[in-house]
Amino acid sequence: MSVVRRPARESVWIALAPGVVAVLGLAVNLGSFVVAAAGLAVVGYGTDRASRAIVTAGSGLIFAGVLNAGARGAPPAVLLLVTAATIVTWTTAEHVVGLAEHLGREAPVQRSILVHLGGATLTTLVAGGIGLGVFLASTATLTPGVLVFLLVGSGLLLYALEP
């Protein structure tokens, strides 16, 4: 019996759930919404095919939608929420791909994926909440360009920290 090194469909749908939140949050701007929706489709395809490169490319498209929304003046709370959802989608899809590579399609991995999803969601929302609190407490005004710079920096930091 050979092991199929692709995830089960249920695992793919679980990984895409936070991405739906990101795409809907980016409906503040049609361009951001379209780019993010395309990115979510790419993440779904990459997760289903167990391709980390495609998952990362799709997550980058969603993040491009976030950057576009930030450049067009979307509220900071929206940007932090959709950034968190983008990060959770990416890391959960990567987790699903890793489980598929190691255990195959038939392994009972839903509990592991849900725990990963919950932990990643909690972590990113707490970090985002702290970031929003600092933003709201500051007296300096952030221009959309500075906000985009901060989002790019946080994305690059996350990428650098990924094992």
Side-chain angles (χ1 to χ4, degrees):
M1 178 174 151
S2 71
V3 176
V4 177
R5 302 290 178 190
R6 290 179 46 196
R9 298 271 181 205
E10 301 83 29
S11 300
V12 175
W13 288 114
I14 293 169
L16 295 179
V20 172
V21 172
V23 170
L24 293 175
L26 290 170
V28 297
N29 172 298
L30 181 61
S32 299
F33 176 79
V34 169
V35 169
L40 185 59
V42 172
V43 170
Y45 179 78
T47 306
D48 184 57
R49 299 292 178 207
S51 170
R52 292 179 189 274
I54 296 173
V55 166
T56 300
S59 298
L61 278 174
I62 300 172
F63 194 65
V66 175
L67 294 176
N68 184 46
R72 296 183 181 273
V78 170
L79 293 173
L80 287 170
L81 176 66
V82 297
T83 300
T86 301
I87 292 167
V88 172
T89 298
W90 175 55
T91 187
T92 305
E94 289 277 334
H95 183 65
V96 167
V97 169
L99 289 171
E101 288 173 348
H102 290 92
L103 302 174
R105 181 179 292 246
E106 300 302 320
V109 296
Q110 278 72 23
R111 180 176 288 168
S112 172
I113 296 167
L114 289 171
V115 168
H116 179 89
L117 176 69
T121 300
L122 181 64
T123 302
T124 56
L125 287 178
V126 167
I130 291 169
L132 181 61
V134 169
F135 171 77
L136 294 175
S138 72
T139 56
T141 304
L142 288 179
T143 64
V146 172
L147 193 52
V148 167
F149 178 76
L150 289 173
L151 288 171
V152 170
S154 64
L156 290 174
L157 178 62
L158 178 68
Y159 181 74
L161 294 176
E162 181 68 20

